[in-house]
Amino acid sequence: MGYSVGQVARFAGITVRTLHHYDEIGLLTPGERSAAGYRRYTEPDLERLQQVLFYRELGFSLEEIAAILDDPGADPMTHLRHQHELLRRRIGRLEEMAAAVQRAMEARKMGISLTPEERFEVFGDFDPDRYAEEAEERWGGTDAFEQSRRRTARYTKDDWRAITAEAEEVLEAFAAAFTEGAPADGERATDVAERHRAHITRWFYDCTYEIHKGLGEMYVSDPRFADNYERVAEGLSRYVRDAVHANAARHA
């Protein structure tokens, strides 16, 4: 009996006007007519419509689709193989785009707008994006987090070079004080702790003594952060924590 224009439009999720247009240009002409002269679509017509919609979704023009479908050397299996290959290519391209967008999102979270080459040049093997999601989970919405994100969003490669160089200097000062036996609560170690707090305040956010003490605890309790110090000298992470606490106490 075939299907009416309205039925096919509902099946396919397109308009009756679109089906009329396909008929007018010869792309999809109903195979039957009712006694009253109305269009009736057959099963082969629905199969052709499915092919049309596949190729439309893939970005082909109606003229290109007509040429593809009317190729006498192409059978239904040929069309399916062709569409499968085209879809695989599109999926691959979309996955690449999704990965690029994900990288951009992670970089924006950290406020770092450097190319991969620049990031490696500045940070070496350290990947700041590794901590982006956790940083937002821990501190997202806080004044310090938002202040840091605003500031770092403006930083250039030279800024990041200055930041990393200054951070290395502070780390080296901590390590020297530790290995030379300076007490963690002595003037030398607490002066370095104050330099560390000032470094954070200067480049990222207003680091109060309470916030600094919290960071000191994290340097010991979180193995990933502790490793930044332990790789320099075993026991250095606790030494830094103790110096940070002693520095906060002397400024209380």
Side-chain angles (χ1 to χ4, degrees):
M1 292 182 59
Y3 302 92
S4 69
V5 175
Q7 287 175 312
V8 174
R10 288 193 296 275
F11 294 159
I14 57 179
T15 65
V16 169
R17 183 176 180 179
T18 296
L19 288 171
H20 285 168
H21 179 62
Y22 290 172
D23 186 8
E24 290 167 2
I25 64 175
L27 180 61
L28 180 64
T29 300
E32 296 178 354
R33 294 271 176 171
S34 69
Y38 294 110
R39 299 173 178 85
R40 305 294 294 184
Y41 290 84
T42 64
E43 290 295 335
D45 296 333
L46 296 183
E47 290 180 6
R48 184 178 175 92
L49 175 59
Q50 185 180 45
Q51 300 294 333
V52 170
L53 297 179
F54 262 126
Y55 284 113
R56 285 294 285 163
E57 179 65 25
L58 291 169
F60 286 81
S61 69
L62 296 180
E63 292 78 9
E64 290 171 326
I65 295 171
I68 293 169
L69 296 183
D70 293 336
D71 180 359
D75 58 20
M77 185 57 70
T78 300
H79 287 303
L80 288 172
R81 282 196 294 267
H82 185 214
Q83 290 163 1
H84 185 257
E85 178 60 27
L86 291 172
L87 286 169
R88 283 173 59 87
R89 292 179 189 174
R90 171 169 283 193
I91 289 169
R93 176 59 180 154
L94 290 173
E95 286 178 342
E96 291 176 359
M97 292 172 63
V101 170
Q102 180 66 29
R103 288 194 296 271
M105 289 168 58
E106 291 172 348
R108 183 167 291 276
K109 283 182 182 179
M110 291 298 293
I112 300 172
S113 56
L114 303 178
T115 66
E117 293 78 10
E118 289 173 330
R119 290 158 73 90
F120 183 80
E121 182 182 340
V122 171
F123 299 110
D125 294 332
F126 175 73
D127 182 8
D129 286 344
R130 179 182 169 195
Y131 301 99
E133 186 172 344
E134 182 174 349
E136 185 158 21
E137 287 180 359
R138 284 192 181 190
W139 300 295
T142 65
D143 291 341
F145 183 85
E146 294 304 322
Q147 187 180 22
S148 177
R149 181 154 56 180
R150 286 194 303 272
R151 288 189 187 181
T152 56
R154 301 192 300 268
Y155 289 163
T156 65
K157 181 172 67 173
D158 288 339
D159 290 326
W160 285 112
R161 280 176 173 165
I163 292 168
T164 54
E166 188 176 294
E168 282 296 319
E169 290 174 1
V170 173
L171 177 59
E172 289 171 4
F174 269 133
F178 175 64
T179 56
E180 292 170 19
D185 59 355
E187 184 176 0
R188 180 178 177 184
T190 54
D191 282 350
V192 179
E194 182 62 20
R195 284 175 59 190
H196 182 263
R197 190 187 70 84
H199 167 79
I200 296 170
T201 296
R202 176 162 49 255
W203 292 106
F204 300 102
Y205 55 85
D206 297 332
C207 184
T208 66
Y209 290 103
E210 282 303 309
I211 290 176
H212 202 208
K213 286 167 60 179
L215 292 176
E217 291 295 341
M218 185 177 67
Y219 297 156
V220 173
S221 63
D222 191 319
R224 295 166 304 172
F225 290 97
D227 185 61
N228 292 329
Y229 296 100
E230 295 301 305
R231 64 181 171 81
V232 177
E234 185 177 351
L236 182 57
S237 60
R238 292 185 178 276
Y239 181 83
V240 171
R241 188 272 312 276
D242 293 344
V244 165
H245 278 254
N247 183 57
R250 74 170 179 168
H251 285 90

